[in-house]
Every structure is written in C-alpha cells, then in structure tokens.
Amino acid sequence: MRVLGIESSCDETGVAIYETGRGLLGHCLHSQVALHAEYGGVVPELASRDHIRRLPLLLREVLARTGLGMQDLDAVAYTSGPGLAGALLVGASVAESLAMALDIPVLPVHHLEGHLLSPLLAADPPSFPFVALLVSGGHTQLMKVTGVGEYELLGETVDDAAGEAFDKTAKLIGLGYPGGPALARLAAEGTPGRFKLPRPMLHSKDFDFSFSGLKTAVLTTVNSPGFCEADKADLAAEFQAATVEVLVSKAMGALRHAGLRQLVVAGGVGANLALRAALDAAAAKRRCRVYYPEMELCTDNGAMIAFAGALRFEAGEQPADGERRFAVRPRWSLQEIKSPRAAG
Ligand code: KG4
Ligand code: ZN
C-alpha cells in the first residue's frame, strides 16, 4: 500500500510517500523559517497561506522524485492535530480533496504519533515495547509504548515544553527565531557551570518536568548588573546543560520504572547533539539503548505522517466518514487516541 502523507501543522510543509513492505519512497519539505524570521516567531495566518502555496508544488515534486503518478497512490494520511487551526485546515482540505478525487481512503493522523513512531523508520529500528521521550516545541512527555496507538503517559511537563524553553531562552538572550537550534549553536561555544541555573524537579521522584522557572532564572541572569555579550555563550551552555540533565535523569528513571531497555527520542529537541550525547552515555551505563529518528526526520516532516498512516491502515483502521471528515483538532492529547484495532 502506497500512502501519501501530508504535514502542515505549524511552520513546515511536508509531503511524503511511504510504501508498506518497501519503506519511505521519498519526501519533500519546505521550511517557513525565512517567512517568519522578521516577526521573531510563527505568524499563523502567514503559515496557512504559505502551506496553500507550497503543498501543490511539493506534491508534484515528491511524485517526480519517486517516479510515481497520482494513480499510483492507494491512500492519504494527513496531520489533523495538534497544531495551528488554519495551517491544519490547509493540509486537511488538500488531503480530503485528493482522496475524494482519486477515490482512495484518507486517514487523519495525530502529529505526535507521527513523531513518536518516526524512529521506526530508521535503518536499525527499535521494537515494541519501549519508553518514548517526546520533546517538541509544544510537548514534553515520557510514555510507555506497547504498540501503535498504545501510549501510557508516565509523566509530562507541568508548564513549558522543552522546545518552548529553548525558544524562549533564545529570545531572552537576543537570538532570533527559530531559537532552539541557535541556542544550541551558541551553547557549543560556551562553558556550563560559570552561571548556576536550577535543575527543576530533578528529584521530584516522578516523571514530570517543569521548565518555566529555568526561563525566569535566565531572565534574572540576563538582567543582572555586569552581564554582557561575552557572557551569553556560557549562559546558553548552562541552560542547555540544565535542560539536558533533567531530561536524561527522568528518561533513565522512566526506563527503570517500566523495566525496559529501549528509549526512543522524538520531536525537534531530539536534534540537539548535547542531549543525544548525554542520553547515549547514560543509557550505555545501564546497558540500555537510545533510538532516534534520522536527523532530517527529527523536526516536522511528511514522512512520519505517511508512515504513521500506513501503520494504521495496515492494522485495519477504517477511514473517517461523515462529520469526522475535514475535522482538525488544534488541541488534542495523544492519550485520547485509540489503537488501530479499536479505532474505526
Ligand atoms: O517537533 P518540532 O519540529 O515541532 C513541534 O511539533 O513542536 O519541534 C520544534 C522545536 C522547537 O522548539 C525548536 O526550537 C526545537 O524543537 N529544536 C531544538 C533543536 N532543533 C529544534 N531545540 C534544541 N536544540 C536543537 N538542535
Ligand atoms: Zn512536531
């Protein structure tokens, strides 16, 4: 089964084709970073308009790259939430219209399920069950994953998400949008420890996180007398070290709690090299292993949506009908979704 995947939940437009039994045939991505940069963050209306402009071009491009025609597609999967309502509607409209025109089934996919399953697309994938650390711009969660759609929440952030903390801290330090990668680059030039930031909830004995206090501590440091341009790299390095320490400690605790040895890391912050190095080292000590998506599939993309859709179609999930069609869910918890067998 060849599934076309469409992602348009935020500031990347992604289109991909995944074939059951063969793997990812191709994927195309357009990032809106340049479009939003002058505003210092994502402008929802501009995001929607750009998705409208890009989707037909990307669709043509992915077909050309894979040497396929529209008639070779067997199904469509699209991100129906969570995300920006207008941006999601663009993907939903294109996906539903295509499916209608081609008379093929269409499935709405949960964006975070796409992230969560994306490490299974890698060359040496993990197998169920595993613990997943989901670290994106809007979410920070630890989950026990026993199968597609079987996600037991172990803990999550009580305030900001890890990516959000990176983005907000970057802004406080005077770095532009997108903040996460910029902060990580600056952190690589600095030394942690010269400034002291808290490790929120490090010893809370649960698997929850809190990152908003860290951001406040950064603000206090930036506003303190004598803080200057030359100090920024050291502060960025300390912020990154604090965030990484908490994420690693909680992830290792969750592995122990679940009695599992495989940790899957997904979402944009999973691209952070310091986090990867620290997770790998901590896991190796415990004879555990960490799995990541391919670097280019860490942040938003269509491949993870095509893949998640294909797994659900394969498991027998029936496409939505009636009122559920064209439905987007800007706020949608991963724990609300069902396993494919129970869905339909
Ligand atoms: O998963 P994603 O692409 O979009 C959401 O679903 O949210 O994640 C985006 C988040 C942003 O907050 C971005 O700053 C962060 O991931 N991010 C990073 C890095 N690359 C992306 N944070 C830290 N280090 C990075 N290298
Ligand atoms: Zn995402």
Side-chain angles (χ1 to χ4, degrees):
M1 178 178 232
R2 278 192 209 108
V3 182
L4 173 76
I6 295 179
E7 157 64 35
S8 71
S9 66
C10 190
D11 55 355
E12 331 259 8
T13 322
V15 173
I17 301 173
Y18 178 86
E19 184 175 329
T20 312
R22 277 186 69 195
L24 185 64
L25 303 185
H27 83 110
C28 297
L29 196 63
H30 175 77
S31 162
Q32 300 180 352
V33 162
L35 178 71
H36 301 294
E38 64 175 298
Y39 304 98
V42 180
V43 182
E45 181 60 25
L46 294 183
S48 309
R49 290 175 190 216
D50 202 55
H51 287 308
I52 294 176
R53 255 192 311 267
R54 301 290 170 178
L55 270 176
L57 303 176
L58 290 175
L59 180 59
R60 224 170 285 155
E61 194 181 328
V62 81
L63 288 173
R65 271 195 209 172
T66 52
L68 296 171
M70 293 278 204
Q71 72 285 353
D72 298 315
L73 302 173
D74 300 310
V76 185
Y78 68 95
T79 304
S80 67
L84 302 170
L88 290 167
L89 267 172
V90 175
S93 307
V94 171
E96 293 279 359
S97 316
L98 261 179
M100 212 176 279
L102 297 170
D103 197 21
I104 55 177
V106 56
L107 266 195
V109 168
H110 195 293
H111 179 81
L112 297 179
E113 178 169 64
H115 275 304
L116 195 70
L117 299 176
S118 63
L120 297 175
L121 272 171
D124 180 16
S127 51
F128 297 117
F130 52 76
V131 169
L133 172 66
L134 193 63
V135 272
S136 71
H139 295 80
T140 302
Q141 298 186 326
L142 273 163
M143 271 167 290
K144 181 175 172 184
V145 179
T146 42
V148 177
E150 294 167 20
Y151 313 127
E152 181 195 336
L153 186 67
L154 301 175
E156 65 183 332
T157 181
V158 297
D159 43 52
D160 291 351
E164 192 179 358
F166 264 91
D167 295 337
K168 288 179 175 170
T169 298
K171 213 168 213 174
L172 292 175
I173 296 186
L175 305 172
Y177 150 92
L183 190 82
R185 277 192 300 276
L186 185 63
E189 294 166 22
T191 311
R194 190 162 78 80
F195 294 101
K196 292 264 184 285
L197 294 177
R199 270 60 175 161
M201 297 182 74
L202 186 62
H203 302 296
S204 64
K205 296 206 165 59
D206 54 23
F207 307 113
D208 288 339
F209 305 87
S210 165
F211 293 108
S212 72
L214 203 47
K215 173 191 67 194
T216 312
V218 168
L219 181 64
T220 310
T221 311
V222 170
N223 288 337
S224 61
F227 185 83
C228 65
E229 194 66 30
D231 294 327
K232 287 184 174 177
D234 288 344
L235 182 58
E238 173 68 3
F239 166 81
Q240 182 172 265
T243 309
V244 165
E245 189 177 334
V246 177
L247 289 172
V248 171
S249 162
K250 299 270 173 166
M252 294 305 128
L255 278 176
R256 202 178 320 116
H257 168 83
L260 296 174
R261 295 193 174 276
Q262 299 181 104
L263 177 73
V264 157
V265 181
V269 184
N272 187 282
L273 295 177
L275 176 64
R276 286 182 174 221
L279 281 172
D280 289 342
K285 260 194 229 160
R286 294 164 178 80
R287 291 211 250 119
C288 294
R289 187 164 160 204
V290 194
Y291 296 84
Y292 306 92
E294 303 289 349
M295 209 42 142
E296 60 170 321
L297 301 184
C298 265
T299 47
D300 294 348
N301 63 82
M304 65 184 193
I305 303 304
F307 180 57
L311 290 181
R312 285 188 165 265
F313 274 120
E314 242 187 330
E317 180 159 336
Q318 293 301 310
D321 53 16
E323 279 175 16
R324 285 169 53 211
R325 296 197 70 155
F326 286 90
V328 296
R329 303 189 59 177
R331 298 180 71 84
W332 186 13
S333 148
L334 191 56
Q335 278 64 49
E336 284 173 54
I337 70 170
K338 301 185 185 111
S339 64
R341 282 185 299 282

